[in-house]
Amino acid sequence: MLPAAILIIGILSRLVWHLPNFSPVYALVLFSGAYLDKRLSIILPVGLMMITDLIIGVYPGIAFTWLGMALIALVGWRLREKRNFKNVAGMSLLASVVFFVVSNLGVWILGRLYPLTLQGLMDCYVMAIPFFKNTLISTVVYSLLLILGYEKVVVRRAVGANGVRQ
């Protein structure tokens, strides 16, 4: 049930209007890494991106986007043991940075916008900074809401019911 909910929410969040780079997708991927089976936590987000990219449209750097999603799921694995405000906020920040680095490296490697020089790489990252703000804010906010909310409502209730953390 949880993987299906993540997939549906993720697909809808990519297809409905939202502020540029302000969506819950990265938080959902981080959530997947924190709670789902390790293999599924990578397959589900990449599948989510594949489905929506086929609807929205494919683009040259698509493989870097999918790689970024898989890496965010790996970051989420770090939340498996302890999910508190500090850890979730920190891993949300790391997830945003990982995606920023990977996706913009892809833009540069493809060589369509920036020359394949060190200066071109630096220019690529500098020009992407304005887009990073919304990504960072949305990832942190949605991750805190999703993960800490899930902990409070679902996980702690389950612990209270049987005395054992799932």
Side-chain angles (χ1 to χ4, degrees):
M1 189 78 175
L2 187 58
I6 292 168
L7 187 62
I8 291 167
I9 293 167
I11 289 171
L12 291 175
S13 72
R14 285 204 74 210
L15 298 179
V16 300
W17 183 89
H18 54 275
L19 293 172
N21 297 343
F22 197 96
S23 98
V25 172
Y26 304 139
L28 287 166
V29 176
L30 198 62
F31 182 94
S32 296
Y35 292 101
L36 300 182
D37 166 78
K38 285 186 175 183
R39 197 174 96 215
L40 184 59
S41 74
I42 294 171
I43 292 170
L44 184 93
V46 173
L48 156 70
M49 296 306 289
M50 287 178 175
I51 292 166
T52 54
D53 284 339
L54 289 173
I55 295 167
I56 296 168
V58 296
Y59 47 93
I62 203 166
F64 291 95
T65 300
W66 297 352
L67 174 61
M69 291 296 146
L71 293 173
I72 291 172
L74 294 178
V75 170
W77 290 5
R78 306 253 327 175
L79 291 170
R80 289 175 179 262
E81 294 301 317
K82 191 166 186 183
R83 294 175 288 264
N84 58 32
F85 184 90
K86 179 182 165 189
N87 290 346
V88 173
M91 291 302 111
S92 300
L93 174 63
L94 179 59
S96 299
V97 170
V98 164
F99 190 81
F100 178 84
V101 169
V102 170
S103 62
N104 288 295
L105 179 64
V107 168
W108 176 74
I109 286 174
L110 293 172
R112 295 176 180 218
L113 298 175
Y114 303 97
L116 294 174
T117 63
L118 182 57
Q119 184 61 50
L121 178 61
M122 291 188 318
D123 289 346
C124 180
Y125 283 115
V126 167
M127 295 303 289
I129 290 171
F131 302 100
F132 182 63
K133 177 183 164 190
N134 281 352
T135 299
L136 177 62
I137 293 168
S138 66
T139 303
V140 171
V141 168
Y142 283 123
S143 293
L144 288 168
L145 289 172
L146 282 169
I147 295 170
L148 297 181
Y150 188 79
E151 280 292 305
K152 185 140 187 104
V153 173
V154 176
V155 175
R156 291 200 180 130
R157 256 193 206 154
V159 170
N162 63 20
V164 178
R165 184 175 178 121
Q166 305 280 333

